[in-house]
């Protein structure tokens, strides 16, 4: 596989996302040694490697009877202990914050499962006798979201902590396989929804609104993908919280407000009161912002609706990069920051 980070490389990554779930469903995941009655689950990771934890946290709210926390730091919470299951997630296997958190988890007596494509994390986990879920390498972390979520949920299903994961992931495969044909570069606007959205986001500041418990993490994903792929600022918030603060901030300065593109992510399972809040909020801002776009998730399960929303965002952010004449694949600022940190 070529390692050159071309725009075509990102398009290839996006097209192959449904295959990540299909391959994850066939992974051999050994959880026989993990038989404690856990009080909590921690997913520790950063950036693209943490998004799987965010999805798991939101998914588990509906299905698990113990909490899931996502840790984006060198240090783990003080309550981490023998009754904690820690997923140490680093696609590269070399994320320094994750390696630090791994060491803390081990010292606190927590059980650890490592999810990685290789690197130091895999070496440490193997040496310490923990289960390693090894996923294929060769991607940029933000393009590996299938590999960075599905094995976590499948491991918990095998442990009896989540039910229905396999069926939900099978639906994700079917929904995304249908979507990718409609979003691919071969399809032009107006038939390609992602290209239409990208054109309307160009020369604006995207603000993505999701819904707590349904599309919240999808909104975070959109924001991060616009940052990394399109090299553009973007921001997100969620209903109903934004109705208690952010909605007030649409009065001044008018010249800045006129450059905002509001993107609202909706799910079929959103409560009626939330839908009413969305309609009222749109009416408040409609004459003050550049435009308002709405995307609704597809499928029946939480995971299908979530991934259908994020898949449109992944493509839209990539097309936005191309609208600006930029290569979406490399993240030179992050590479520079890591190089500077490595000098210490």
């Amino acid at each position: 596989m070529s390692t050159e980070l071309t725009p075509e490389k990102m398009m290839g990554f996006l097209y192959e996302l449904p295959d990540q779930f299909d391959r994850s469903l066939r992974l051999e995941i050994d959880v026989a040694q993990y038989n404690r009655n856990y009080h909590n689950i921690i997913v520790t990771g950063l950036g693209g490697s943490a998004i799987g934890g965010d999805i798991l946290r939101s998914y588990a709210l509906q299905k698990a009877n113990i909490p899931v926390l996502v840790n984006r730091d060198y240090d783990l919470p003080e309550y981490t202990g023998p009754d904690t299951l820690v997923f140490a997630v680093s696609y590269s296997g070399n994320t320094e914050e994750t390696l630090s958190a791994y060491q803390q988890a081990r010292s606190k007596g927590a059980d650890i499962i490592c999810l990685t494509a290789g690197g130091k994390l895999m070496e440490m986990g193997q040496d310490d006798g923990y289960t390693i879920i090894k996923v294929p390498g060769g991607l940029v972390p933000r393009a590996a979201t299938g590999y960075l979520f599905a094995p976590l949920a499948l491991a918990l299903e095998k442990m009896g902590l989540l039910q229905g994961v396999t069926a939900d992931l099978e639906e994700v495969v079917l929904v995304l396989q249908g979507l990718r044909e409609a979003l691919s570069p071969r399809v032009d606007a107006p038939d390609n929804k992602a290209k239409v959205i990208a054109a309307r986001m160009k020369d604006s500041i995207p603000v993505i609104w999701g819904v707590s418990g349904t599309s919240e993490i999808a909104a975070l994903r959109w924001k991060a993908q616009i940052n990394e792929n399109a090299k553009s600022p973007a921001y997100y918030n969620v209903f109903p919280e934004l109705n208690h603060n952010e909605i007030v901030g649409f009065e001044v300065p008018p010249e800045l407000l006129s450059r905002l593109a509001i993107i609202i992510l909706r799910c079929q399972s959103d409560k009626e009161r939330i839908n009413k809040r969305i309609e009222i909020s749109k009416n408040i801002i409609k004459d003050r912002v550049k435009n308002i776009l709405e995307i609704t998730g597809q499928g029946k399960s939480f995971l299908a609706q979530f991934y259908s929303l994020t898949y449109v965002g992944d493509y839209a952010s990539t097309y936005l990069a191309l609208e600006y004449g930029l290569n979406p694949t490399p993240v030179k600022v992050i590479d520079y920051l890591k190089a500077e940190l490595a000098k210490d």
Side-chain angles (χ1 to χ4, degrees):
M1 177 186 293
S2 171
T3 58
E4 186 180 358
L5 298 179
T6 62
E8 292 75 21
K9 178 72 71 174
M10 181 58 73
M11 288 297 180
F13 292 158
L14 295 181
Y15 190 82
E16 293 172 2
L17 178 61
D19 304 328
Q20 293 184 29
F21 296 98
D22 195 37
R23 294 180 189 124
S24 294
L25 284 164
R26 285 174 290 189
L27 283 174
E28 292 293 330
I29 302 174
D30 182 9
V31 294
Q33 64 174 305
Y34 300 92
N35 55 8
R36 303 187 197 180
N37 291 320
Y38 298 108
H39 292 175
N40 54 80
I41 298 167
I42 298 174
V43 182
T44 188
L46 279 295
S49 295
I51 190 67
D54 289 315
I55 303 164
L56 183 67
R57 176 182 63 79
S58 190
Y59 185 49
L61 286 173
Q62 308 173 24
K63 289 179 171 282
N65 59 8
I66 58 174
V68 177
L69 172 85
V70 181
N71 181 66
R72 288 178 162 86
D73 201 355
Y74 293 89
D75 301 318
L76 291 173
E78 184 59 32
Y79 61 73
T80 306
D83 296 323
T84 302
L85 174 63
V86 173
F87 286 104
V89 183
S90 170
Y91 186 68
S92 69
N94 297 314
T95 307
E96 64 175 65
E97 300 96 326
T98 307
L99 296 177
S100 171
Y102 170 94
Q103 298 279 21
Q104 286 194 15
R106 184 179 63 176
S107 68
K108 288 174 176 286
D111 275 350
I112 305 172
I113 296 175
C114 301
L115 176 59
T116 183
K120 294 179 182 178
L121 181 61
M122 187 166 75
E123 294 174 7
M124 292 164 60
Q126 288 174 333
D127 290 343
D128 293 331
Y130 296 120
T131 286
I132 309 295
I133 305 176
K134 188 177 187 302
V135 295
L139 304 171
V140 293
R142 66 189 183 278
T145 178
Y147 291 140
L148 295 171
F149 163 72
L152 303 179
L154 289 166
L156 293 179
E157 183 179 47
K158 291 191 73 171
M159 297 165 67
L161 297 175
L162 289 178
Q163 284 78 44
V165 175
T166 296
D168 288 350
L169 290 175
E170 288 171 346
E171 185 190 15
V172 170
V173 174
L174 293 175
V175 169
L176 295 191
Q177 283 176 339
L179 259 181
R180 71 179 174 185
E181 301 305 329
L183 300 175
S184 77
R186 297 186 297 272
V187 179
D188 294 326
D191 296 321
N192 189 321
K193 181 190 304 184
K195 287 184 177 179
V196 171
I197 295 169
R200 296 186 66 184
M201 286 195 296
K202 186 180 180 184
D203 298 324
S204 69
I205 299 175
V207 176
I208 301 93
W209 285 349
V211 174
S212 181
T214 58
S215 57
E216 175 180 359
I217 305 306
L220 169 61
R221 172 72 174 180
W222 270 69
K223 179 262 182 198
Q225 288 293 84
I226 293 169
N227 294 156
E228 292 194 61
N229 289 339
K231 327 303 179 194
S232 169
Y235 303 91
Y236 88 102
N237 209 331
V238 293
F239 291 98
E241 173 64 21
L242 71 85
N243 283 154
H244 296 267
N245 39 64
E246 184 165 312
I247 195 65
V248 184
F250 283 82
E251 294 190 18
V252 291
E255 62 275 10
L256 178 59
L257 293 170
S258 67
R259 301 293 292 274
L260 298 183
I262 308 297
I263 299 144
I264 302 174
L265 306 182
R266 309 183 76 156
C267 290
Q268 298 167 23
S269 56
D270 291 337
K271 295 180 175 63
E272 185 55 41
R273 294 295 292 176
I274 292 294
N275 290 329
K276 186 171 183 178
R277 284 179 177 274
I278 291 174
E279 294 307 315
I280 295 171
S281 299
K282 285 164 52 182
N283 190 55
I284 291 170
I285 67 172
K286 65 182 181 181
D287 296 324
R288 304 175 187 182
V289 300
K290 181 179 178 181
N291 49 49
I292 301 173
L293 312 174
E294 294 187 54
I295 302 97
T296 301
Q298 298 182 24
K300 296 181 180 179
S301 68
F302 168 87
L303 289 183
Q305 293 194 50
F306 169 84
Y307 271 106
S308 64
L309 286 172
T310 61
Y311 206 32
V312 174
D314 288 355
Y315 268 104
S317 62
T318 302
Y319 290 133
L320 181 59
L322 300 180
E323 288 273 354
Y324 285 129
L326 298 173
N327 183 349
T329 313
V331 282
K332 295 178 181 178
V333 173
I334 296 176
D335 294 338
Y336 168 78
L337 191 150
K338 289 181 178 179
E340 289 297 299
L341 287 170
K343 293 178 181 179
D344 294 339

